[in-house]
Each structure stands twice: as structure tokens, then as C-alpha cells.
Amino acid sequence: MKGVVFKQRYKSVNIKSTPTLNRKHLNYIATRKGAIHNPGCAFGLWGRLPGMAASENINSLATAKKVVTAASRTHTLYRAILSVDGEAAKQHGLYERGAWQALVDKKVGVLAEQMGIERKDFCWAASMHYVKGHPHVHIMYWDDSGKVRQEFVPNERFELIAERVRAAFGYEIFREDIQQLQQEKRGIVSQTRLELQGLCREANLAEALNLNNVSFARLDALQKSFVALAADLPKNGSLKYAYLPQWYREKLHAFTDEIMKITDFQRDAAKYLKLTDEISQLYGNGAEKQQYNREKAQEELYKGMGNTLLDALKGYKRELELSAPSERGDLAAMVRNLVPPLLGGQPAYPELLRLMPKERTPMRELLADEPFKAKLFGLTRELCSDLRVRALADGYVKASAESPELKELGRKEFERSVYKELYRVVQGVVSEKLQEDSGYNAQMAQDTVLSLLLNLFRLSSQRTGQAQSQRDLLRMRTRELSETAKRDRHKQQEQAGDWSQGQ
């Protein structure tokens, strides 16, 4: 369904034949075949001529032609046309003059405003033409004041005027359609999704994201990019898309671009942008405005995906931090540098590595297995007894001789706390190394990316499903208008106006 078409032209007041040509044009639009006649007249015309307080049927064609001829000698008369396609006309009752007359009476002031004409000086006459597949309205209008006007409207200025006129009439005609479609777009990032849930189709198995179609190479690349994004996550400021520093937002966009290469995401993005184009068409926006709307829609799409991505990144970082032991000053840092190289000389470490499940398993679950727990604790004690590790703890105690903590606890209690901390840090380092060597970190990143893809797809699937549901709902309501209801409506209109189609 296309939006409103608006065109306009004029004959210069400086051309001698202009009054005659304008009179003939008025006669043409009022009497041509297809013009819907005024009740009891052989022509169709309404509007607001000089001396009329408001718009009404113009029942004297001779008077109207005299007014137009006289006005043409001193004023520029513009000839405009408004039209919609057959589908829109059928759906919104615009094959009938009554609908057009009400619409023009309500919104013609927008044309006056955009052309810089005060309402009290805005004179016009209109006629509706019934043409199958192309019903339309002709409007002749002018500024009846004594002000000097510039006849010519530069193309750039007219494009803006035309866009605003199309938008005003388009919104009035397609108000329900536009509001429903816009509601679907807002549902991407707002509570509207929940309100419309009953009307929306949830993603079913046929529409669900098929991870089997995503190659291992692409998943691996996404995993590595995801880990790099997590490492670069800003440490200061709000981690919301709108407040991200530009450098990190660009990294996020690059990652989103990679996700959008996946076929299922391409499909939903295409549907979303098509929805944006439909709204632009219903508004009657020009090509430049349609492109602007597309760019804004793309930005909105990336913002919604960006916030979902940020939630996943923050969750991944939290999980990493929870798996890492809290550190006690320089002692922990030194132990973490010293212990990993020592593991190669410990027979218990390869045995522990063989006991690690292939699938990522939390350490608390591994410690529930007594043989694993015994080996881990035994290896930890062995490492803590190593002279090199012990020397670090002894050196730390000596270096802390003047610390407030040592003075508060006393030397023996302080030493006990340091060696307890040493044991905890060594066990944590061994656990981290076991998970790293078992590929758990890579698995965690990949699991997070897969979960992220599913969440992002669920978001876009809801969005496109809602849009489709709204369109289906609109079509269903149109079909429910029975033939009997249509006949009743036509009968009421005939009784009210007795309009007929001109021959």
C-alpha cells in the first residue's frame, strides 16, 4: 500500500491567457467524467470562496468561475492534486466523496500554513474524481490578501512543503495503520511488547534461530571478538548504549555487524527495515526522508541489540571475576606469577587434568567429587610447601612488620592469616589453570555468545512477529466488513447526500 501523492503547478499571473485557462481548469475539475456531483447539481465542487466563513458545497458553478477569473488577474492560483492508490482507497473509504470532503476540510489548512497563507485569506475550491484504482481530489487555491507573493517556489522548498502536506493527509488517512506499525517498532525497546503479547506470534520452531546453520569458524570468530570486547569493557561510566564512549560503541557496532551477517538475523533486519519503509510510504515521505527514517531505524535496531550485548558482556565479566580469587596485595600477584610454571613438575596436576569433565563444570561441583577434591587439596599443600612459594609468604610477613594489621593481630595471628591466604590463592591459581587447560574459558565465552545470539534473535523475532500480527489483524478487520454492511453504508450516504457519479 502506497501513501498519499501530492502534486502542484500554476499559471503565472503575468500571462494574458491565465484567467481563461484557470476558469477552464475549474470547469474541467467540476464537470469532467468521474466528478462526484453536489446534490441536485450537474457538477461537483466545494470549498471556501471569498465572503464564505467556512468550507461548504459550492452550488453555483457560474459564480465560482467568475470568482476564479477575477482572482486570476491579480493573484496566483495554484492547482493541486491529492491521490491514493486503489488498495488504500478501498480500505479507507476513499472511493466516496464524503470521506474526501471531510478529509480535505480538516487538513487543507496545512497547505495554507506551508504556503504562508493566513487562514482568513485562504480561498479554495475542490472536486473529487472517481477513477477506479486512482480516486483523487483537485484543489485550486490562492492567497486572497493584498500581499505581494513570489509565485515561484524553489524545488527544495516545494519538496519540504510537499512532504509535510503528504505527512499531514497521510497520517489522517492511515492513522490506525501508522499507529499500529509504530507501536510494533516501539515494542523493540519498550514495555509495549508485553502489552501486545496476546496478539503476537511467538517465534516457532520454523522461525527459530538455527545455530546449525552458523559455521564453527564464525562462532569461533564471534567468541574471540566477544572475549576481546569484554576485556575492553569501560571501567568507568554507565554501561548503557546511550552513554558509551564513541571508541567502544564503534567496537560494539563492528561486533553487531558480524552478527548481522548470520542469515536469520539478516532476514529479521530486512523485515524490520521493510516495516520502516511501509510507515514512510503511508506518511507519503519523499525519498530523502525515507532514507533518513531508514537510518534512524537502523540506529534504533543497533541500540536495542547493543544493550542486550552489553548485558551479556557484563554477565561474562562477572562470571570471570567470581571464578578468580580475591587478592591480598602483592603476595597474591607474586604467587599467581610463580605457581603456574611449577605445575609442570607436579605429577598430581596431569592426573587432576584427566579428571576434569570435557564440558565446562563449576568448581564447586567438581569439589563434590571426593577423589578430585583430595587430589586438588593434596597438590595445593605440596605447592605451599615448596621453598620458593614459602619464601614469598615469609618475605611478605617480614615486609609487613610495621603494618597496622600485624600490630592489631599480633605476629602469630598475622602469620596464620597470611599462610591461610597463601593456601587459598594457590588453590585458586591451580583451579584457574585446570579450567584454562581444559578449555573451560573458551567454552564459557562460546556459551555466552550462543546465549547472546538466541536472546538477540528472540528480540528481533518478537519484533517482526508483532509487526506481521498487526498487519494480519488489520487485514482481518477489513475482511470482517460484510457485503451487507457495505450496502447499508452506501444507502445511508445516498440518503444523506444523494450524490451521483458524473457521466
Side-chain angles (χ1 to χ4, degrees):
M1 186 188 300
K2 298 179 181 178
V4 175
V5 174
F6 173 73
K7 297 179 181 179
Q8 177 173 292
R9 58 192 178 93
Y10 70 94
K11 296 293 183 182
S12 175
V13 73
N14 296 318
I15 299 174
K16 187 176 180 178
S17 60
T18 293
T20 301
L21 293 173
N22 281 344
R23 183 180 70 248
K24 288 181 177 180
H25 182 72
L26 180 73
N27 186 71
Y28 164 78
I29 68 173
T31 62
R32 67 150 282 180
K33 182 180 179 180
I36 306 299
H37 294 173
N38 293 13
C41 296
F43 64 90
L45 210 61
W46 83 91
R48 178 181 176 271
L49 300 180
M52 295 169 59
S55 168
E56 58 185 65
N57 284 351
I58 299 171
N59 293 320
S60 172
L61 182 56
T63 299
K65 287 195 286 188
K66 287 179 182 178
V67 169
V68 165
T69 301
S72 297
R73 296 190 180 101
T74 53
H75 300 78
T76 301
L77 271 66
Y78 295 94
R79 306 175 184 183
I81 184 169
L82 288 161
S83 67
V84 296
D85 65 20
E87 181 186 350
K90 184 177 179 180
Q91 186 171 321
H92 296 279
L94 293 175
Y95 274 111
E96 300 157 5
R97 171 171 154 168
W100 272 112
Q101 189 163 352
L103 174 65
V104 173
D105 285 352
K106 184 174 183 180
K107 305 307 293 185
V108 76
V110 175
L111 183 54
E113 179 184 347
Q114 292 303 316
M115 290 295 289
I117 304 174
E118 293 187 31
R119 292 297 292 271
K120 64 182 180 63
D121 300 320
F122 186 66
C123 293
W124 57 281
S127 178
M128 183 259 173
H129 292 176
Y130 180 101
V131 178
K132 189 172 182 180
H134 181 61
H136 57 274
V137 167
H138 290 270
I139 306 173
M140 288 191 75
Y141 72 91
W142 66 95
D143 182 350
D144 199 47
S145 71
K147 297 177 183 177
V148 178
R149 291 186 58 87
Q150 178 184 346
E151 290 184 334
F152 175 71
V153 180
N155 286 339
E156 185 176 340
R157 170 66 182 154
F158 179 72
E159 283 302 319
L160 183 59
I161 290 171
E163 181 182 310
R164 290 174 177 172
V165 170
R166 288 193 300 263
F169 278 88
Y171 186 75
E172 193 64 32
I173 296 169
F174 305 109
R175 182 193 300 269
E176 184 178 350
D177 309 53
I178 291 171
Q179 286 178 344
Q180 287 174 335
L181 293 174
Q182 286 178 329
Q183 193 173 35
E184 298 309 322
K185 288 185 66 181
R186 288 195 297 271
I188 300 165
V189 290
S190 72
Q191 193 67 18
T192 309
R193 263 200 323 271
L194 300 178
E195 297 170 358
L196 295 175
Q197 193 169 4
L199 297 175
C200 299
R201 298 187 213 156
E202 299 298 333
N204 55 43
L205 291 178
E207 296 174 325
L209 175 63
N210 187 353
L211 290 173
N212 291 329
N213 294 332
V214 184
S215 68
F216 286 114
R218 175 159 287 171
L219 281 176
D220 186 56
L222 286 173
Q223 170 208 321
K224 291 175 181 176
S225 297
F226 183 83
V227 172
L229 267 177
D232 291 339
L233 202 63
K235 295 181 174 58
N236 301 315
S238 174
L239 288 180
K240 294 288 185 184
Y241 180 87
Y243 304 110
L244 289 175
Q246 186 61 30
W247 66 268
Y248 193 77
R249 187 179 296 186
E250 289 175 1
K251 286 178 177 287
L252 211 60
H253 283 181
F255 186 77
T256 306
D257 286 338
E258 291 303 312
I259 290 175
M260 297 305 290
K261 292 177 182 177
I262 296 173
T263 303
D264 288 341
F265 284 99
Q266 285 180 336
R267 180 192 68 202
D268 274 358
K271 287 183 181 179
Y272 177 64
L273 294 177
K274 183 180 178 183
L275 173 61
T276 301
D277 290 341
E278 287 180 11
I279 293 175
S280 294
Q281 288 175 354
L282 291 177
Y283 267 121
N285 295 140
E288 187 174 328
K289 183 66 172 179
Q290 288 184 25
Q291 181 60 31
Y292 172 79
N293 289 342
R294 257 187 165 251
E295 290 172 359
K296 292 296 288 184
Q298 183 83 10
E299 183 179 319
E300 186 179 358
L301 179 65
Y302 272 49
K303 178 180 178 181
M305 295 183 75
N307 280 321
T308 302
L309 176 55
L310 284 169
D311 287 341
L313 286 164
K314 288 185 284 188
Y316 175 73
K317 287 276 283 190
R318 278 195 299 270
E319 192 167 348
L320 282 179
E321 289 165 0
L322 286 173
S323 66
S326 59
E327 298 183 354
R328 180 177 180 139
D330 294 338
L331 174 63
M334 290 186 290
V335 169
R336 293 170 76 83
N337 287 329
L338 176 63
V339 168
L342 300 179
L343 290 173
Q346 298 290 333
Y349 184 74
E351 296 175 12
L352 271 171
L353 204 53
R354 283 193 292 272
L355 293 176
M356 295 287 286
K358 292 183 179 180
E359 296 297 325
R360 184 166 65 96
T361 306
M363 186 55 64
R364 62 179 177 276
E365 292 185 20
L366 293 174
L367 290 175
D369 180 67
E370 288 301 326
F372 180 89
K373 181 179 178 180
K375 283 188 177 295
L376 177 61
F377 286 5
L379 177 57
T380 301
R381 285 193 297 271
E382 189 70 27
L383 289 168
C384 287
S385 300
D386 187 287
L387 292 178
R388 290 162 290 186
V389 176
R390 189 80 180 187
L392 287 180
D394 292 341
Y396 181 82
V397 171
K398 290 179 181 178
S400 304
E402 301 299 323
S403 71
E405 188 180 2
L406 186 147
K407 293 178 180 179
E408 180 181 347
L409 295 175
R411 186 175 183 84
K412 286 188 178 181
E413 188 61 34
F414 180 73
E415 285 181 359
R416 189 177 295 113
S417 71
V418 169
Y419 295 133
K420 184 177 180 181
E421 180 72 8
L422 175 69
Y423 187 92
R424 191 191 64 78
V425 173
V426 169
Q427 182 181 315
V429 171
V430 174
S431 299
E432 282 182 21
K433 186 65 175 167
L434 283 168
Q435 293 182 80
E436 181 182 338
D437 290 346
S438 299
Y440 281 14
N441 290 351
Q443 284 187 40
M444 183 170 73
Q446 188 173 82
D447 290 348
T448 305
V449 169
L450 291 175
S451 175
L452 170 66
L453 291 176
L454 290 169
N455 286 336
L456 288 173
F457 184 76
R458 189 178 299 114
L459 183 74
S460 62
S461 182
Q462 283 180 342
R463 177 187 318 129
T464 52
Q466 288 162 1
Q468 184 65 50
S469 295
Q470 288 300 327
R471 287 194 291 270
D472 291 348
L473 182 63
L474 191 59
R475 293 192 186 101
M476 180 185 69
R477 287 175 177 171
T478 302
R479 286 196 297 270
E480 286 176 353
L481 184 61
S482 66
E483 290 301 318
T484 302
K486 289 179 182 177
R487 286 196 296 270
D488 291 343
R489 185 178 62 183
H490 284 302
K491 184 180 291 185
Q492 291 172 358
Q493 290 168 343
E494 288 173 1
Q495 292 172 348
D498 192 29
W499 292 327
S500 60
Q501 181 176 321
Q503 300 298 321

